[in-house]
Amino acid sequence: MLSGLDTAPTVAILHVLRVTLHVGFAALLGVAVIRLLVFGGGDPLLPVWAGTALLLAGVYLAGTILEKRFATNGTGFDPRRYGVLWLGLVTALWAVLLAASADFAWVAFPLFFLHLHLLPRRIALLTIALMTAAVIAAQWAVSGLAVPHLAVVLGPMFGAAFSVATGLAYRALYREAENQRRAADELRRTRTELAASQHDAGVLAERERLAREIHDTLAQGLSSIVLVARAAEKSLAAGDTATAAARFALVQQTASENLAEARNFVRGLSSPQLHESSLVESLRRLCVSTETSAAAEGPGLRCRFELDGDPLELPQPYRVALLRAAQASLANVRDHAKAGNAVVTLAFLGSEVTLDIYDDGVGFDPAGLAARMDARADGSGFGIPSLRERVTALKGSLELESAPGEGTVVAIRLPLNDVPGRDGQ
């Protein structure tokens, strides 16, 4: 049910009025036919009048059935284009019967509603006036008076006036029901389009989530595997099997960790490292593994972790975002910075938690970062935008400080105002 556009009461009222109209027409026509048969036995044209009444009933019934069927199913023969012709035929047959017997005069009142519904208002009022005059004339002729009685004139006129007022009200109600139906159809279409749009937005958001997870986990892990495997290959070529074995063991460990990451983020879960230990321990192990991987790849990189303040139990999105930020930043340090030292600092500062990743590498120009990332056709350069999206989603901030030859600092700030268990801090 559409709130504010419930057309059921209006439709029910229109249905009752239509049924009443058809039943009234049938009853008045039936009474007139019975009176004609009972009191018109001496009329030699009685079979003609009875046949005409039967024809009128058939034409009326056929028109209403066709209209009802088309309105319900919307298929098949469309009677609306022949509505005026049908109304003219019904009115002509009624006029013939009225000439035969004044008892058919009262059948005019249901016809008034049809004229108001099918004809333009001015034309309908004119035809109703002519029909009312015919009814008055038929009643006057039956009375045999030289001057018609007042009731003969006022009765049909009041009946016609009541029919017009009721017919106009029906017509206004019908238009309102049509407007409500069109508005309801439009709302349904709008809701369908909105649902499709929300589905597309959900698909896009899920793609972006998978892209971030793949970049921060699988892509970085596979990159490390490739580099370490190349280093192991060089060790084998040099005959240093012990070093090669150690590097292949690191490849196996990295592949296992990435497999676990893939299984978890496909299910929409957090990093398996966070299930096994706290964020602090995960960051400390990340620094150790980064240092080990860098040593296996060639040039040494000293990576240490520092904690400032008393750790709080952070919400899972915070923990995932901070761990992913550290993973992406240290991967950049290992692959691009040519640094000798890297420091990861996690600090709890009352109203916020901060994560700073510093390296003493070659640095770069942040102003040209966006252009360089847009120019990469291999899909790389996704780390900083992905990281910024994660932080922004948590109402935090990310600052990137670097210059050629002066190293790089990635500074992340996340608010702790909504974190439970802070005891009013």
Side-chain angles (χ1 to χ4, degrees):
M1 191 64 66
L2 297 174
S3 177
L5 290 175
D6 186 1
T7 61
T10 304
V11 172
I13 293 173
L14 292 174
H15 177 72
V16 171
L17 290 176
R18 282 195 295 268
V19 171
T20 303
L21 173 66
H22 299 328
V23 171
F25 177 86
L28 292 173
L29 182 62
V31 170
V33 170
I34 291 174
R35 287 181 59 84
L36 179 65
L37 295 176
V38 172
F39 298 105
D43 189 348
L45 297 178
L46 182 61
V48 175
W49 309 136
T52 303
L54 184 62
L55 179 61
L56 173 60
V59 171
Y60 186 93
L61 182 62
T64 55
I65 290 177
L66 290 175
E67 189 276 335
K68 177 63 176 177
R69 183 176 300 172
F70 183 80
T72 302
N73 301 326
T75 57
F77 176 72
D78 184 1
R80 292 177 297 182
R81 66 181 69 180
Y82 304 106
V84 175
L85 180 62
W86 171 80
L87 180 62
L89 180 58
V90 169
T91 304
L93 292 173
W94 167 80
V96 172
L97 293 173
L98 181 64
S101 172
D103 292 328
F104 290 96
W106 309 113
V107 181
F109 295 110
L111 297 181
F112 291 163
F113 292 97
L114 297 178
H115 280 254
L116 286 169
H117 184 64
L118 296 176
L119 298 176
R121 181 177 300 180
R122 292 184 178 181
I123 298 177
L125 293 177
L126 177 60
T127 58
I128 290 172
L130 294 175
M131 293 172 66
T132 303
V135 170
I136 293 175
Q139 295 293 329
W140 184 12
V142 171
S143 67
L145 300 176
V147 178
H149 193 276
L150 185 61
V152 173
V153 177
L154 293 180
M157 290 182 64
F158 279 123
F162 177 78
S163 298
V164 168
T166 306
L168 292 177
Y170 173 87
R171 191 169 182 174
L173 191 62
Y174 178 83
R175 286 197 300 267
E176 179 64 21
E178 284 296 300
N179 291 336
Q180 290 182 356
R181 181 187 61 79
R182 285 192 290 268
D185 291 342
E186 181 64 25
L187 182 57
R188 291 189 187 97
R189 285 193 296 271
T190 302
R191 287 184 173 179
T192 301
E193 293 172 358
L194 179 60
S197 176
Q198 291 176 339
H199 175 266
D200 293 341
V203 170
L204 181 59
E206 182 63 12
R207 287 177 178 175
E208 291 178 351
R209 182 188 76 86
L210 291 178
R212 288 196 301 265
E213 295 293 342
I214 289 173
H215 176 273
D216 294 344
T217 57
L218 300 185
Q220 303 295 352
L222 292 174
S223 175
S224 177
I225 288 173
V226 170
L227 294 176
V228 175
R230 288 175 181 173
E233 186 179 8
K234 292 179 181 179
S235 298
L236 286 176
D240 189 355
T241 57
T243 301
R247 289 175 176 174
F248 278 125
L250 182 58
V251 168
Q252 183 180 7
Q253 178 185 350
T254 304
S256 299
E257 292 174 354
N258 276 261
L259 178 60
E261 291 280 6
R263 289 171 175 170
N264 276 273
F265 77 68
V266 166
R267 299 185 183 97
L269 302 177
S270 62
S271 171
Q273 300 179 33
L274 294 174
H275 288 291
E276 298 169 1
S277 60
S278 66
L279 175 63
V280 172
E281 290 301 320
S282 298
L283 292 175
R284 184 173 285 116
R285 281 206 310 270
L286 176 62
C287 290
V288 173
S289 64
T290 300
E291 188 171 310
T292 302
S293 298
E297 293 168 11
L301 170 67
R302 295 186 62 244
C303 182
R304 72 176 189 273
F305 171 74
E306 295 182 355
L307 175 64
D308 185 6
D310 296 327
L312 293 176
E313 185 64 27
L314 297 176
Q316 191 70 0
Y318 277 47
R319 298 166 61 195
V320 172
L322 293 174
L323 179 59
R324 294 289 186 246
Q327 288 174 329
S329 299
L330 289 179
N332 287 334
V333 172
R334 184 190 63 215
D335 297 338
H336 307 297
K338 299 179 182 179
N341 295 277
V343 180
V344 177
T345 304
L346 179 67
F348 294 87
L349 305 176
S351 62
E352 62 182 8
V353 57
T354 68
L355 180 69
D356 297 327
I357 302 96
Y358 162 77
D359 71 82
D360 60 359
V362 296
F364 59 91
D365 180 12
L369 180 63
R372 292 198 302 273
M373 288 189 299
D374 292 339
R376 296 179 185 176
D378 60 354
S380 62
F382 187 69
I384 296 300
S386 170
L387 183 54
R388 195 178 300 277
E389 288 178 3
R390 285 184 184 274
V391 173
T392 302
L394 298 176
K395 300 179 180 180
S397 64
L398 182 148
E399 295 181 3
L400 188 62
E401 300 178 3
S402 185
E406 298 184 6
T408 302
V409 176
V410 178
I412 298 171
R413 305 287 184 269
L414 296 178
L416 294 177
N417 297 328
D418 299 329
V419 176
R422 297 188 61 243
D423 298 328
Q425 294 184 33

